Amino acid sequence: STRTHRVNNLEASPDVSPGPDGASKSSKPCLKHPAHALTYFCKKCGQVVCPECAMSPQHADHCGDIVPLYEQSGRVSAKLKGQSKSVSQHVIPQLKHSLKNVKQAMNSVNDTAEALSAEIEADVKKVSDWLKKKEEALLLEVDKDRWEKLKRLEGEEQRLKNTLCLAERGVEMVEESMKVLTESEVVQLAPSIEQCLSSVQQSEAGAGWV
């Protein structure tokens, strides 16, 4: 049929306009029969045709499917209006409702994220404060240990100085005594002097400083 007359789609054609009586009429003439306008529609072929085409052999086996163009236009318009009404009454409200739900979900996600961020910041601050206190405590412990060790060492230093002083005085006394004592006195006093010097040596060896 496409070889015998031009195929026009009713819904896609911009050349269909209402006639004086309200019926739709194509403003385009039939290419095969220019004297006739395209005023009929073949439902089987989906074509807009003129009266001559409608009575041609190409449509003879389904002439019942040929209807006036205004009837098809009315059906199509009614169908489109029904679909538009359905979209307006059902689809659009559903879309708006879904959009509202999406916005609420987005707000919920943002609120949850902000709450988690605040919680994380609070936890980090707690950990930071704990670490700072722990650091201060450790530093105090180190300082305390250092001062205790220094105090012990200072005491040991003073003891060693005192012992050194006594040892030096003892040596000086022994040397002076050796100059004035007789040989027999030296022999008699030697064990006591040796014992005194040995005590000093043992004392420092036991302390780990000799």
Side-chain angles (χ1 to χ4, degrees), residues 108-154:
S108 177
V109 169
N110 288 331
D111 292 342
T112 301
E114 291 177 359
L116 288 174
S117 297
E119 184 177 350
I120 290 172
E121 289 178 359
D123 290 341
V124 170
K125 188 177 185 302
K126 289 180 181 178
V127 172
S128 178
D129 292 343
W130 179 84
L131 289 174
K132 186 176 181 180
K133 291 180 180 179
K134 190 69 175 179
E135 179 186 14
E136 293 174 353
L138 290 173
L139 290 174
L140 289 174
E141 188 67 25
V142 170
D143 287 341
K144 180 181 179 182
D145 184 64
R146 179 180 62 180
W147 289 115
E148 288 179 352
K149 288 181 178 179
L150 287 175
K151 187 176 181 180
R152 288 197 301 269
L153 290 173
E154 287 174 355

Side-chain angles (χ1 to χ4, degrees), residues 37-173:
L38 299 172
T39 55
Y40 288 91
F41 180 76
C42 179
K43 293 190 291 184
K44 182 175 182 180
C45 300
Q47 301 168 357
V48 179
V49 297
C50 74
E52 289 292 331
C53 291
M55 294 183 292
S56 66
Q58 287 80 6
H59 299 279
D61 61 340
H62 55 274
C63 60
D65 292 324
I66 297 176
V67 297
L69 186 57
Y70 70 87
E71 290 184 5
Q72 181 65 16
S73 176
R75 282 193 288 267
V76 171
S77 297
K79 181 179 179 181
L80 292 176
K81 289 179 180 179
Q83 291 177 338
S84 177
K85 183 177 180 180
S86 177
V87 169
S88 178
Q89 292 180 348
H90 303 290
V91 177
I92 291 178
Q94 289 178 358
L95 290 174
K96 289 182 178 180
H97 180 70
S98 298
L99 181 60
K100 181 180 179 181
N101 290 338
V102 169
K103 288 182 178 179
Q104 290 177 347
M106 291 174 64
N107 291 334
S108 177
V109 169
N110 288 331
D111 292 342
T112 301
E114 291 177 359
L116 288 174
S117 297
E119 184 177 350
I120 290 172
E121 289 178 359
D123 290 341
V124 170
K125 188 177 185 302
K126 289 180 181 178
V127 172
S128 178
D129 292 343
W130 179 84
L131 289 174
K132 186 176 181 180
K133 291 180 180 179
K134 190 69 175 179
E135 179 186 14
E136 293 174 353
L138 290 173
L139 290 174
L140 289 174
E141 188 67 25
V142 170
D143 287 341
K144 180 181 179 182
D145 184 64
R146 179 180 62 180
W147 289 115
E148 288 179 352
K149 288 181 178 179
L150 287 175
K151 187 176 181 180
R152 288 197 301 269
L153 290 173
E154 287 174 355
E156 187 66 18
E157 180 186 27
Q158 187 61 43
R159 187 188 69 79
L160 289 173
K161 287 181 178 180
N162 294 337
T163 302
L164 176 61
C165 182
L166 291 174
E168 290 176 344
R169 288 177 60 187
V171 170
E172 290 177 357
M173 291 176 63

Side-chain angles (χ1 to χ4, degrees), residues 162-191:
N162 294 337
T163 302
L164 176 61
C165 182
L166 291 174
E168 290 176 344
R169 288 177 60 187
V171 170
E172 290 177 357
M173 291 176 63
V174 169
E175 291 178 350
E176 294 295 330
S177 297
M178 294 287 290
K179 293 178 181 180
V180 297
L181 293 176
T182 63
E183 293 179 351
S184 60
E185 290 175 335
V186 170
V187 171
Q188 292 176 356
L189 294 174

